[in-house]
Amino acid sequence: MGYLSNHLATVIVSIFAAILSGFYYLASPELHFIMLLAVVVTWFLAGICWVAQKSTDYAHKYGHSEKKAQLT
């Protein structure tokens, strides 16, 4: 099944986003806009990783694999 049920990428990106979120409050006011952009982008990427993994899990749970697609 893999490490963390194949959600390792989601966990790593989420940890990075959480660290960036913490750095937002430590950054100088001049960097708040750039840090806000970085935080939003990394949380969005974490969400995309989660949705992609859920989609893969669903496809493999019900047997929609490449082997069945090649039944010609």
Side-chain angles (χ1 to χ4, degrees):
M1 182 60 99
Y3 296 112
L4 300 173
S5 300
N6 292 330
H7 286 277
L8 186 60
T10 306
V11 170
I12 297 297
V13 173
S14 298
I15 290 170
F16 183 61
I19 291 170
L20 280 180
S21 298
F23 281 156
Y24 173 80
Y25 296 106
L26 298 176
S28 63
E30 294 85 18
L31 294 177
H32 275 197
F33 180 70
I34 293 174
M35 289 298 293
L36 183 64
L37 288 176
V39 167
V40 169
V41 167
T42 52
W43 280 115
F44 179 75
L45 183 60
I48 293 297
C49 286
W50 183 78
V51 168
Q53 186 58 50
K54 285 296 183 182
S55 172
T56 303
D57 292 344
Y58 178 81
H60 287 280
K61 180 179 179 181
Y62 293 107
H64 300 292
S65 65
E66 294 177 15
K67 291 179 184 175
K68 285 191 175 183
Q70 299 172 357
L71 290 176
T72 54

